[in-house]
Structure formats: structure tokens, C-alpha cells
Amino acid sequence: MAKPLRFHPLVADDLVSAGDWYDEISTELGNRFRASVDASFDAVESRSEAYGMVDPPLRAARVNRFPYLILFEITITTIEVLGVFHTASDPDKWRKRKG
């Protein structure tokens, strides 16, 4: 049975910021970004251990067709999503959320 996703409080800010940026280019592009993120969340929830570790115990799932990563940690009862980050962002930004 798949473990449920649990989101860090700042994940919503990550998604709004990125979605707004794509919406400025095109609403359709923003909608495609959100759909890709949702599909990636579904994949993480169903196949969390299939993703490689980037900074143990953190794993990363790439968002299809967009330069974003979903960073998460598998715990005994849940999958803790720490953030959705641009691939060019400073790793210290997401490492700070790990604590």
C-alpha cells in the first residue's frame, strides 16, 4: 500500500511562485506545469523508492518537461515532501528544510 504524501508548509509557496511565473508566459503553460507536478506527486506516492537519493535520506523526482525537482524523504508512515525546486536553485535552499 502506498504511503500518503505529507507536505512541508512552504511547498505551497514553491508551487504558487513557479506556477505564476509560467502563467505570465501563458496560462496554458502554467496549467501544463501544474498538471506535470500533480502527475509527479502521484508517481512519488505510488513508486517512492524508485527515485534516487540526492542527499541521503532525501530523494528527488524530476517534473516531466519542466526543470523542477520534487525533494522528498520516505518515513515509516508517510512520504515527506520538502519542496518543489528549480533545478538551478541553490541546494542549500532545500537542505535547510531538511532539519
Side-chain angles (χ1 to χ4, degrees), residues 25-87:
I25 298 168
S26 158
T27 303
E28 182 180 332
L29 186 59
N31 290 338
R32 278 190 271 157
F33 170 74
R34 285 183 277 282
S36 290
V37 170
D38 286 344
S40 295
F41 283 149
D42 290 344
V44 166
E45 189 171 30
S46 64
R47 301 184 316 269
S48 58
E49 294 193 14
Y51 296 94
M53 289 194 190
V54 291
D55 188 17
L58 294 183
R59 296 174 184 262
R62 188 160 180 125
V63 175
N64 191 32
R65 305 185 91 189
F66 292 90
Y68 281 83
L69 296 174
I70 296 171
L71 277 291
F72 64 96
E73 179 179 351
I74 302 169
T75 69
I76 293 170
T77 57
T78 62
I79 299 165
E80 303 286 330
V81 178
L82 294 180
V84 180
F85 298 100
H86 193 279
T87 55

